[in-house]
Amino acid sequence: MAFSLFGGSDKKDSGAAPTSGNSSNVNSIKENLQAQILQEIALTNATELISKISNNCYEKCILNPGSSLSTADATCLDQCSEKYIQAWNTISRRYLARVQSESKN
Amino acid sequence: MSQISKNDISQLDEASQVELLKFVESENAKAKLQSSIHMFTDMCFKKCVPTITMGSVSPAESTCLTNCVDRFLDTNIFVVNKISKSMQK
């Protein structure tokens, strides 16, 4: 019982067949690991985007910090965020196209 | 968030481990590209979008953004060539 508190399993005790070599188990382990990796990468990407948009749009929109976000502030932030994401897509397309054409040379 | 456990990986047969390694390598390369794109967008947004007047990128701004990336890459190549030439002397 104490073993399970540390995240261990009691597969050995149950007398079940060893799991290594069982192909469906191997596939699900592999898929889980791949899914975890993809999730980490997606999270990193989102975090980076949020950070960049916050910094850039704060600089462009909040010129005189008041005691709260005004409607004008909110509109500017909204427009700025949209613009930034569009810019990201434009640059992503161009950069990837360039990388592909450079690698062909 | 769940963690990738060594126990899980050790249960995989060698072919699966190799496949996973290749997957990690390929995702790593993609992540590096994405990181570069973040850097370029940050830099070029500052250069090309001085004020926020509307919620979309204008054609002029779009041209500026693509020029910005291209010229930065040209600059990088230029600097690499120059430095490598001076290192050969």
Side-chain angles (χ1 to χ4, degrees):
Chain A
M1 192 165 43
F3 184 43
S4 68
L5 288 175
F6 292 89
S9 74
D10 56 357
K11 279 184 188 145
K12 268 193 239 172
D13 300 334
S14 70
T19 51
S20 61
N22 177 335
S23 75
S24 69
N25 193 42
V26 160
N27 272 338
S28 73
I29 290 176
K30 201 172 51 172
E31 281 166 14
N32 277 341
L33 288 171
Q34 288 175 336
Q36 280 182 48
I37 290 168
L38 289 175
Q39 210 179 39
E40 283 281 348
I41 291 173
L43 186 66
T44 305
N45 188 42
T47 306
E48 190 67 14
L49 199 60
I50 289 170
S51 170
K52 296 281 193 235
I53 292 179
S54 292
N55 287 340
N56 276 293
C57 294
Y58 184 84
E59 205 177 292
K60 291 199 159 31
C61 290
I62 314 295
L63 305 169
N64 293 306
S67 57
S68 67
L69 280 182
S70 70
T71 357
D73 289 339
T75 308
C76 181
L77 289 173
D78 199 41
Q79 290 177 333
C80 179
S81 309
E82 288 275 354
K83 259 186 126 136
Y84 193 90
I85 291 168
Q86 279 181 28
W88 198 95
N89 286 327
T90 303
I91 285 172
S92 171
R93 275 191 300 264
R94 186 59 158 219
Y95 179 57
L96 294 175
R98 180 86 186 245
V99 163
Q100 275 191 328
S101 73
E102 298 276 337
S103 70
K104 278 177 195 161
N105 290 346
Chain B
M1 189 173 299
S2 51
Q3 295 208 315
I4 297 170
S5 87
K6 281 187 198 166
N7 193 40
D8 284 344
I9 298 173
S10 64
Q11 280 184 32
L12 294 174
D13 58 284
E14 188 171 331
S16 294
Q17 286 192 18
V18 167
E19 190 186 329
L20 207 61
L21 271 169
K22 283 190 187 163
F23 178 80
V24 167
E25 253 180 56
S26 139
E27 290 306 315
N28 206 30
K30 284 189 211 169
K32 280 189 188 156
L33 287 175
Q34 268 204 341
S35 174
S36 293
I37 293 167
H38 278 302
M39 184 192 82
F40 295 146
T41 308
D42 191 33
M43 178 177 72
C44 297
F45 190 82
K46 290 179 162 95
K47 274 201 196 300
C48 293
V49 182
T51 51
I52 308 296
T53 49
M54 53 179 178
S56 58
V57 169
S58 74
E61 284 165 343
S62 182
T63 308
C64 178
L65 290 167
T66 50
N67 285 340
C68 177
V69 191
D70 280 332
R71 297 298 76 74
F72 181 84
L73 293 171
D74 290 342
T75 304
N76 201 29
I77 292 168
F78 182 95
V79 172
V80 165
N81 285 338
K82 186 166 174 77
I83 302 295
S84 68
K85 269 183 208 154
S86 67
M87 273 166 58
Q88 280 165 14
K89 282 178 195 161

